[in-house]
Each structure stands twice: as C-alpha cells, then as structure tokens.
Amino acid sequence: MKTKNSVEAIIDKLDREELKVASVMKRAVAMTIDDLLVSLIIVIAFSNAFINAKTYEQVLILTNELFGYIFLAYTLYHWIFITLYGKTIGKMIMKIRIIDIETLDNPTWSRALIRSIMRNFDEMFFYLGMAFALVDPLNRAIHDIVGKSVAVED
C-alpha cells in the first residue's frame, strides 16, 4: 500500500508541474542510441585489440578481458551526463530527461552514480530491470527506482 501511495504522490507532483512521463518506447530508443555510442567509443579505444581478433571467439575473450573498462565507460557516460544535463545523448535525441523524484531537478552526483551502476547490472542481466518499466505506472526501470528518478518528456 505504501508503494502505491508514493507512486500516486509522484504522479500528483509531476501533474502539478505539468511534467509528462516519457514512454517506454522513447526510453528504449534512447537506451539503444546510448548503447551504440558507448560501444562505438569502446571499439575505437581498443581498435588495435579488436582488429587482431580474427574469430568471434577471440572477440568474446577480448570483451571479457575488457569487462572492467567497459563497465567503467558505461558508468561514467551515464553518471556524468545524467548529473550535469539530466540526459544522455540518446535522451537528448529522444527529447526526454531524467529527474530526481524529490527535487524534480537533475539527480545528484550520488543518486546518478547509483542509477548508473544499477543500469549496468540491468544490462548484464538481459535488461530485465528495464522490463519493469512495462508494468510500472511511471515507466520506471529498476535503476530509476533505486536511483529515485523518473524519465519525463523534455
């Protein structure tokens, strides 16, 4: 019951400020754009290593070896963009932004970091946390709930 009341309180707060929750489709497209951008940056950064990988198996081994760098790149990308701008490049293109549910402003450095780390774990587990957005009234994924944020139209 408490969760429903807090969801209703967030909905009321967003309505008062005339903020519209971003659709799951817009969020999915923004996420895809961001994932492609960060992946491209990683491939460029480690291009010599990827060029030397001759088989799919070698690419997988290399990806496993680079896991820490990949995790860090994704975390930094989301953490910095969400904190400074309330949106990543994908969200800019899709005209949505992330706001703190308490202040309705960009998330703080600490909340954005928690959100970014949780988002990475979500990706590692086949985006199951994002699937939660399909049933949440505010279209929030698990990383939004943990990070106390919501995506709204910009």
Side-chain angles (χ1 to χ4, degrees), residues 83-146:
T83 303
L84 295 178
Y85 308 109
K87 50 189 133 182
T88 58
I89 294 170
K91 289 172 181 57
M92 289 176 194
I93 292 168
M94 295 309 299
K95 299 189 182 332
I96 59 178
R97 66 187 169 108
I98 303 301
I99 59 171
D100 184 290
I101 59 172
E102 293 174 3
T103 65
L104 303 183
D105 199 1
N106 294 349
T108 62
W109 284 101
S110 58
R111 285 195 179 171
L113 178 60
I114 291 166
R115 184 182 186 281
S116 297
I117 292 170
M118 284 302 299
R119 186 186 180 286
N120 284 345
F121 284 112
D122 174 28
E123 283 188 17
M124 290 187 319
F125 294 103
F126 309 105
Y127 295 95
L128 291 177
M130 190 62 183
F132 191 78
L134 298 171
V135 296
D136 184 76
L138 295 167
N139 298 340
R140 294 176 300 171
I142 297 298
H143 57 270
D144 292 308
I145 294 168
V146 172

Side-chain angles (χ1 to χ4, degrees), residues 17 23 67 106 110:
E17 297 297 323
S23 71
F67 174 79
N106 294 349
S110 58

Side-chain angles (χ1 to χ4, degrees), residues 1-10 132 136-137 140 145:
M1 190 63 80
K2 185 179 179 185
T3 303
K4 186 174 183 185
N5 289 337
S6 61
V7 169
E8 289 173 0
I10 296 167
F132 191 78
D136 184 76
R140 294 176 300 171
I145 294 168

